[in-house]
Amino acid sequence: MAEKARGGRIFDLKLSYVAEAAASGELTATAGIVHAGRRTIVTECRIEAPDGRLIATASATFAVSRDQEN
């Protein structure tokens, strides 16, 4: 049986500013799922300047409920 995530509530969110970004600079965000379990999903994100300098990081944990498909 396949399961589908049905919604989530954030129960942990952390954002860390590492460096100041230029006002006119374009930033790149790279995000991904670190863990996708039965009851929680953990994600993280990196924000970088065009030169590769780290601007910020973020992580979040979501509580989810899942519906079963037949």
Side-chain angles (χ1 to χ4, degrees):
M1 265 187 261
E3 291 185 3
K4 198 190 273 189
R6 184 177 54 116
R9 297 180 314 263
I10 294 177
F11 68 81
D12 181 51
L13 175 64
K14 179 176 171 136
L15 179 60
S16 297
Y17 294 100
V18 177
E20 187 174 347
S24 62
E26 186 174 313
L27 301 175
T28 301
T30 305
I33 295 172
V34 176
H35 169 77
R38 294 178 57 83
R39 296 190 177 121
T40 61
I41 296 175
V42 179
T43 61
E44 64 184 15
C45 180
R46 291 177 55 91
I47 311 292
E48 297 177 344
D51 62 2
R53 190 170 39 96
L54 182 62
I55 302 298
T57 63
S59 64
T61 303
F62 299 85
V64 295
S65 57
R66 297 191 180 269
D67 291 333
Q68 292 186 353
E69 291 182 354
N70 292 325

